[in-house]
Amino acid sequence: MDGLFFYWIMWMVWVCVMFFVPKAVPFRFALLFHLLAVLLLTRYHLTVYTFTVQLSGLYMFIVLCIAIRRLYLWKTIEIIISCFIMALAYASFHLFVLLDPIWVIIKPIYLQGIFLNYLVLLVIKEWELRIAVLVLGMLFGDCLFAGLLQYQSLPYTALSFAWHDGVAFVLVIQLAWVCLEYITTWLYTHSQNRFLLKEKQG
């Protein structure tokens, strides 16, 4: 059933932030509020003519736009271009799955997770911005894909529960990669310190 993976991941994150993040951390309350808001808004839809979209996706778009507006001009331009690239990649991937599914040898959500994370690693260095670019790119890409289907008179709900599952899966892979980066950096620094210590002692 679509949406179960999304709810599972969101509630896990909410519980971890609620009970394991200290109250002194400044972003704790804001993160808890946004997580609950997204969870509650998944129940509601907005329909404009024949175009239907879930409100949780629009909420994420507004929050992320407010978050990135504090960046300086060139970084904002870089994020906009990166989001455009991700949106085209997302829409192209789903068109490929729709029009030629015989080449999709494993579940599309797995291929999407690997493909989009590899692409975002090529265009953005900071992991915080990678998360924002992934969500915004998938958001724009799904709206673009929905628009193309609506043009062909095919019904499709943009930012549906299946899209939320895809976003949750992509972000889980990205966070796992970030943890791997931190672990490898720590191991490298630790080994270098031990090597320098041995050289001094020798």
Side-chain angles (χ1 to χ4, degrees), residues 45-54 142-143 145-159:
H45 297 77
L46 176 66
T47 302
V48 180
Y49 296 107
T50 58
F51 193 82
T52 304
V53 61
Q54 277 189 312
D142 202 55
C143 290
F145 181 64
L148 292 172
L149 294 185
Q150 289 291 335
Y151 182 74
Q152 299 296 327
S153 300
L154 297 173
Y156 182 79
T157 301
L159 314 180

Side-chain angles (χ1 to χ4, degrees), residues 25-45:
V25 176
F27 65 84
R28 179 178 178 272
F29 177 77
L31 184 57
L32 289 171
F33 175 80
H34 293 316
L35 288 172
L36 283 178
V38 170
L39 283 168
L40 291 174
L41 289 173
T42 51
R43 299 176 54 195
Y44 302 101
H45 297 77

Side-chain angles (χ1 to χ4, degrees), residues 67-82 124 129:
I68 66 174
R69 70 182 171 84
R70 301 174 184 175
L71 302 173
Y72 57 89
L73 180 61
W74 291 113
K75 182 59 71 173
T76 305
I77 293 173
E78 179 187 354
I79 290 175
I80 291 171
I81 294 172
S82 300
I124 297 291
L129 296 182

Side-chain angles (χ1 to χ4, degrees), residues 79 82-83 86 120 124 129-138:
I79 290 175
S82 300
C83 289
M86 297 299 296
V120 80
I124 297 291
L129 296 182
R130 279 188 223 146
I131 291 176
V133 167
L134 279 171
V135 176
L136 287 173
M138 293 179 71

